[in-house]
Amino acid sequence: MNTPPALRPEHFTRAEAAEFHRLMTHLVATCRAVADEYPDGWRAPSPDRPVDFGASMTLIADLSRTLGHTRRRIRRIGDGARYRLHSGGPTAGRWR
């Protein structure tokens, strides 16, 4: 079985590196905000079970959207780098 060539820093553009950093920073900040809001774990905003369920679903949906957006954008960045890797074109520039 052939091992595909690995992506290296030079396969990413500066713009892609900056976008990757921005995406990951936003993802971590979003997770941190949730953790800060619930430092002792999940505490329902109301003792009313339907409200509790609704609040949990809203929180999950917000996290899911953030994760999905980040995953899609990072996949797009990786696709661009893989294209440059396999096209044999000029390297994109330095990651740092």
Side-chain angles (χ1 to χ4, degrees):
M1 184 164 119
N2 291 336
T3 303
L7 291 174
R8 295 189 316 263
E10 60 267 17
H11 297 120
F12 296 88
T13 66
R14 290 180 197 274
E16 287 169 339
E19 177 69 358
F20 174 78
H21 184 263
R22 188 193 68 73
L23 288 163
M24 290 306 298
T25 299
H26 180 260
L27 176 64
V28 170
T30 299
C31 293
R32 182 176 296 128
V34 170
D36 289 347
E37 189 173 344
Y38 302 99
D40 297 324
W42 173 253
R43 290 201 192 270
S46 165
D48 182 26
R49 293 211 188 270
V51 171
D52 178 26
F53 185 78
S56 68
M57 294 310 291
T58 298
L59 176 61
I60 291 167
D62 291 345
L63 287 171
S64 179
R65 267 192 300 281
T66 301
L67 285 168
H69 174 77
T70 302
R71 185 175 44 249
R72 282 188 304 276
R73 295 299 306 243
I74 288 174
R75 189 176 298 132
R76 207 173 286 158
I77 290 168
D79 288 347
R82 272 187 291 288
Y83 175 79
R84 283 185 290 282
L85 170 67
H86 295 293
S87 71
T91 57
R94 300 304 299 173
W95 174 262
R96 299 175 203 254

